[in-house]
Amino acid sequence: MIGKPQFIQRALACTMLLFTTLATPAFGQNKYPDRPVKIIVGFPPGGPTDIVARLIANRLEKALGQSFIVENKPGGGSNIGSQEAARAKPDGYTLFLGTVANATNISTYKKLNYDTQRDFIPISQLVSSPSILVANNDQPFKTLPELIAYAKANPGKLAYATSGPGGSPHLAGEMLKLRAGIDLLHVPYKGAAPAMNDVIGGQVGIGFKTASGVTTTLQAGKLRPIAVAGRERMPQLPDVPTLIELGFPDFEVSSWSGLMAPTGTPPDIINLLAKTTIEIMKSPDIRKQLEGIGAFPVGSTPEEFKKYIDDEIKKWAVVAKAANIEL
């Protein structure tokens, strides 16, 4: 038979245990992640964005001890995947690989069912891959000043190919038109591959191509590199100047990607993912793999990534308005 003092002690212990259990947040009860995590990608399998997603998913899986599964939701310039990720439960088990499209689409689409700044919390920028202004080998110019002179002498005759209206290659072409004061003809394609093929074949004269998709083609001599739209020259193309060097300040066009989570995701989860991702992106073998496809590791903090996204949205809004781009 339990004595009165013992009964009181046990009752108090049970009460404290119940109080502690109720007061402990869900994140504290189970170590995150305790089940598979999904990373939504708004582009098809096999492309540069998908490659980066699977690379980081594999490393997060090793670091955190749970499966990170890439789920491709292509369509609408990544808007389908973006919308699904924005509406996901903010519990850390659905993440999103945001890209430059999430900065440009805000200004180019009439209506979106999500808002990048409102509906997502930036975790960490993973990579940056600068665009390269390339030309068909038979074009009568080899440098940017020669290209500009040719375009001014032949207004509207020099065409540039893009992967479709409203994307970063289109906006890059419009930025060049505005900054250089030239008239170029926009020729949109249904994807980067057919656009590049027609520049190689000479059907179209020039185009802005993402380094991760065109570096090997340039090294094989199938296209002529004119200038890099990045902050610095690429190690793979050390003789190709940047547009900034050539007199166009802040002319930076990058195909970037980074991890995001739906707004409302607990800060502890955001911080854990950010810290882990930053460490992953410091790895020498990650850098080597990415540089092999013309991309560069970043590994920024949530605050740094947020500022970068905000700046990208402002920059492309100016270009889209000036060029009257509306989808």
Side-chain angles (χ1 to χ4, degrees), residues 17 23 39 43 76 109-110 123 143 150 155 205 218 227 247 263 274 280 284 303:
L17 178 62
I39 302 176
F43 296 94
Y109 280 83
K110 285 184 179 181
I123 296 173
T143 66
Y150 177 83
L218 291 170
T263 295
I280 290 170
E303 294 77 19

Side-chain angles (χ1 to χ4, degrees), residues 14-27:
C14 289
T15 302
M16 290 300 294
L17 178 62
L18 177 63
F19 177 78
T20 302
T21 302
L22 293 173
T24 302
F27 180 67

Side-chain angles (χ1 to χ4, degrees), residues 157-243:
K157 291 184 179 180
L158 180 60
Y160 72 99
T162 74
S163 53
S168 59
H170 181 196
L171 289 165
E174 294 301 316
M175 185 186 286
L176 180 62
K177 286 170 61 176
L178 292 167
R179 297 280 189 91
I182 55 178
D183 183 15
L184 302 174
L185 175 65
H186 176 217
V187 182
Y189 288 78
K190 293 182 179 180
M196 184 167 66
N197 288 339
D198 272 10
V199 177
I200 293 172
Q203 287 84 356
V204 185
I206 61 172
F208 277 92
K209 308 298 177 186
T210 303
S212 57
V214 78
T215 301
T216 54
T217 304
L218 291 170
Q219 291 172 334
K222 295 180 180 179
L223 286 171
R224 178 183 297 157
I226 301 296
V228 175
R231 288 283 166 188
E232 55 190 36
R233 296 192 183 197
M234 293 181 60
Q236 301 92 330
L237 302 168
D239 297 327
V240 182
T242 66
L243 280 144

Side-chain angles (χ1 to χ4, degrees), residues 23-24 26 29 53-54 71 74 81 106 121 125 139 147 154 170 217 239 267 279 285-287 297 303 327:
T24 302
Q29 290 176 13
R54 294 180 189 279
E71 188 171 297
I106 290 177
I121 299 175
Q125 184 182 349
Q139 291 298 313
L147 184 157
N154 300 275
H170 181 196
T217 304
D239 297 327
E279 287 303 312
D285 66 312
I286 287 284
R287 176 175 290 275
E303 294 77 19
L327 306 179

